[in-house]
Amino acid sequence: TPGDRIDIGPCSLFFSSETPGTGSSARVADTKTPGTVRVVPLSELVGGAPSAAGLREIAGAAASPQRIAYFLQSVDRVGQALLAHRPIADLFGFLVDLTSEVLRADRSVLLLRGKDGELIPKAVKQRGAGGEVVVSRSIVHRVIDERQAILTSDAQSDERFREQASVIRQRINSAMCVPLWHESEVLGVLYVDNVAAPLPFEETDLRILTLIGHLAAVKILETQTFEELQRQH
């Protein structure tokens, strides 16, 4: 059954009912912080109803009309997709699937904070062959502690990445990490990256992922509350 493990000598076989490409694992590890990053404080995205000028600011001050349209279509699509109720275990998988599809990411990871503050992988989406996704501990803590969304658009050529075996081995071209946030609470992070992608992520993509992080956190909290009420009944 799903979750079973068979140990044969030094090898461990895990059985999963997931479809190919979604059964990868993820972990947080100590790696050097990338040098080429863009950071968007969450405070820039929090406020009242946006005006036409405000939409341009949220999508990115330098965004073209096409990028603004892409931004609005993506956010509307995510909002519509999250209206339906799903069990919490199914919701985690749905969120990484949706994130990967909207942003055309090769790999997407959702990590939640545990009771002791440790980050626990809840869902991984990976296109193609599976493998472990390594997320920088320093980046994750910066995202959570400072409530910032972080983008690196060229990890392979970044000199601070050159000695990171995990980045070189996984051929990460562009990566983003944002908090799962609602008001003052940060539940965890959403991480996405592209492997040898011809077009790196842009700031508009980072802002889309940041808003996905907010909508996802609201949905997670709502689902957890609903399921707790169901258990009490």
Side-chain angles (χ1 to χ4, degrees):
T1 58
D4 284 350
R5 185 180 82 174
I6 302 174
D7 292 324
I8 305 175
C11 302
S12 293
L13 306 179
F14 294 90
F15 181 76
S16 172
S17 62
E18 296 172 312
T19 56
T22 61
S24 303
S25 62
R27 65 185 174 93
V28 176
D30 292 314
T31 59
K32 294 181 181 178
T33 303
T36 306
V37 298
R38 298 183 188 178
V39 176
V40 178
L42 294 186
S43 57
E44 290 188 14
L45 297 173
V46 179
S51 60
L55 289 175
R56 174 176 289 276
E57 182 179 351
I58 293 173
S64 65
Q66 292 80 7
R67 294 299 287 179
I68 293 176
Y70 159 67
F71 172 85
L72 295 176
Q73 290 168 1
S74 299
V75 173
D76 180 64
R77 180 180 176 186
V78 172
Q80 291 291 331
L82 290 177
L83 287 176
H85 172 74
R86 295 172 179 81
I88 193 70
D90 295 341
L91 177 61
F92 295 141
F94 176 79
L95 287 170
V96 293
D97 286 346
L98 181 64
T99 299
S100 182
E101 186 177 344
V102 168
L103 292 168
R104 300 179 181 88
D106 289 335
R107 309 189 305 178
S108 302
V109 181
L110 188 153
L111 302 103
L112 284 190
R113 300 173 74 180
K115 294 181 179 179
D116 298 327
E118 77 280 13
L119 284 164
I120 305 169
K122 291 294 185 179
V124 180
K125 170 70 174 181
Q126 185 164 190
R127 301 180 190 275
E132 188 174 58
V133 182
V134 179
V135 184
S136 167
R137 191 185 306 277
S138 60
I139 288 290
V140 165
H141 284 299
R142 184 176 179 184
V143 166
I144 293 175
D145 298 339
E146 301 180 23
R147 293 169 60 84
Q148 295 178 334
I150 294 179
L151 157 70
T152 178
S153 57
D154 194 0
Q156 286 293 314
S157 63
D158 192 318
E159 291 187 357
R160 302 193 192 187
F161 264 137
R162 290 185 186 276
E163 296 180 1
Q164 291 189 34
S166 63
V167 173
I168 301 302
R169 183 173 63 252
Q170 297 178 87
R171 297 181 294 116
I172 297 172
N173 177 272
S174 185
M176 298 187 291
C177 189
V178 304
L180 292 165
W181 61 282
H182 177 53
E183 297 180 347
S184 61
E185 186 171 4
V186 177
L187 307 182
V189 301
L190 260 179
Y191 170 87
V192 300
D193 65 29
N194 274 332
V195 180
L199 295 175
F201 292 123
E202 299 180 2
E203 187 170 325
T204 303
D205 299 311
L206 181 66
R207 292 168 181 267
I208 289 173
L209 185 61
T210 303
L211 288 179
I212 290 176
H214 171 56
L215 295 174
V218 172
K219 190 64 179 180
I220 290 170
L221 289 171
E222 174 189 284
T223 304
Q224 289 175 334
T225 300
F226 174 78
E227 293 189 355
E228 179 58 30
L229 288 174
Q230 290 294 99
R231 281 192 293 270
Q232 291 178 8
H233 286 311

